[in-house]
């Protein structure tokens, strides 16, 4: 019954390494999002996508990039990981359009530690 | 700037009622959401309010006053499984979600 799957639950990487976080959804949703979640802060949007091969910067895109080659898959890339990118990363998807609730369905999260 | 305020932590007793408040200042308003997040798990959708008033869904209800920039989530007949963080989020004029830091609810027997 899993609808949004994140490839890695826990990762430990070293400073400077390239990191790929994969997210796949099986609900045929148009919209996909990457957030990071840190203690004491609200979810912060990194990047989002409303369509295949389309991407938009969120509130904190610096140090990140994304790829959406297929509708169901949205990848987050850390080109050169740094310790301040240690965080929980949450992928989410929703239906498209500007009307209605467009409720987010989240993946279980990927906890990244950068040493 | 845009801001969502909610209490950091609340404690309640099993079987009781608890109200979690959320106040917001955002650039426009296109709906308010409540999500539940158990420790180590994904947030899951609880409720959506776009008009003033109370929306009831089983043991959970959510209230919205747009003029006051205020919402609350009301949980009745608390159960131990309701121990979780509750996230308030507002969709602004650009249809972007602004998130509160969440309220950790602790239920005691």
């Amino acid at each position: 019954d899993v609808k949004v799957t994140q490839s890695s639950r826990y990762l430990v990487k070293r400073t400077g390494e390239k990191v790929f976080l994969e997210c796949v959804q099986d609900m045929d949703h148009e919209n996909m999002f990457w957030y990071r979640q840190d203690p004491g802060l609200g979810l912060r949007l990194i990047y989002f996508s409303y369509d295949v091969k389309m991407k938009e910067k969120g509130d904190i895109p610096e140090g990140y990039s994304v790829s959406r080659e297929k509708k169901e898959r949205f990848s987050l890339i850390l080109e050169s990981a740094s310790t301040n990118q240690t965080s929980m990363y949450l992928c989410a998807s929703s239906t498209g359009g500007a009307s209605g609730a467009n409720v987010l369905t989240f993946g279980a999260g990927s906890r990244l530690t950068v040493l | 700037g845009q801001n969502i305020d909610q209490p950091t932590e609340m404690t309640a007793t099993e079987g009781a009622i608890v109200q979690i408040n959320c106040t917001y200042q955002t650039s426009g308003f296109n709906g308010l959401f409540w999500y539940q997040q158990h420790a180590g798990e994904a947030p899951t959708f609880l409720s959506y309010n776009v008009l003033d008033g109370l929306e009831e869904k089983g043991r959970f209800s959510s209230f919205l006053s747009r003029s006051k920039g205020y919402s609350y989530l009301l949980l009745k007949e608390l159960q131990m499984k309701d121990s979780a963080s509750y996230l308030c989020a507002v969709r602004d004029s650009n249809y972007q979600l602004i998130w509160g830091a969440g309220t950790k609810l602790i239920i005691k027997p």
Side-chain angles (χ1 to χ4, degrees), chain B:
Chain B
Q2 307 202 89
N3 193 50
I4 310 285
D5 285 316
Q6 49 181 135
T8 302
E9 188 173 295
M10 299 181 70
T11 301
T13 304
E14 190 177 16
I17 299 172
V18 72
Q19 177 175 311
I20 303 174
N21 295 326
C22 171
T23 58
Y24 63 89
Q25 300 93 39
T26 57
S27 301
F29 178 85
N30 281 296
L32 184 144
F33 299 79
W34 285 96
Y35 283 78
Q36 180 190 58
Q37 186 178 25
H38 286 101
E41 297 184 12
T44 55
F45 170 74
L46 285 178
S47 68
Y48 169 66
N49 295 70
V50 66
L51 298 176
D52 291 350
L54 188 69
E55 294 279 344
E56 297 186 79
K57 196 185 293 186
R59 294 189 299 115
F60 292 10
S61 303
S62 57
F63 171 83
L64 173 67
S65 170
R66 288 172 296 171
S67 62
K68 294 182 179 178
Y70 169 69
S71 172
Y72 66 74
L73 182 69
L74 191 72
L75 291 74
K76 302 177 185 175
E77 300 169 17
L78 286 170
Q79 302 175 11
M80 297 304 293
K81 67 178 182 179
D82 297 330
S83 292
S85 289
Y86 291 86
L87 313 181
C88 175
V90 173
R91 192 161 59 190
D92 68 10
S93 56
N94 294 319
Y95 281 83
Q96 297 304 313
L97 282 174
I98 312 301
W99 294 84
T103 298
K104 182 178 181 180
L105 178 62
I106 299 167
I107 310 297
K108 295 187 174 179

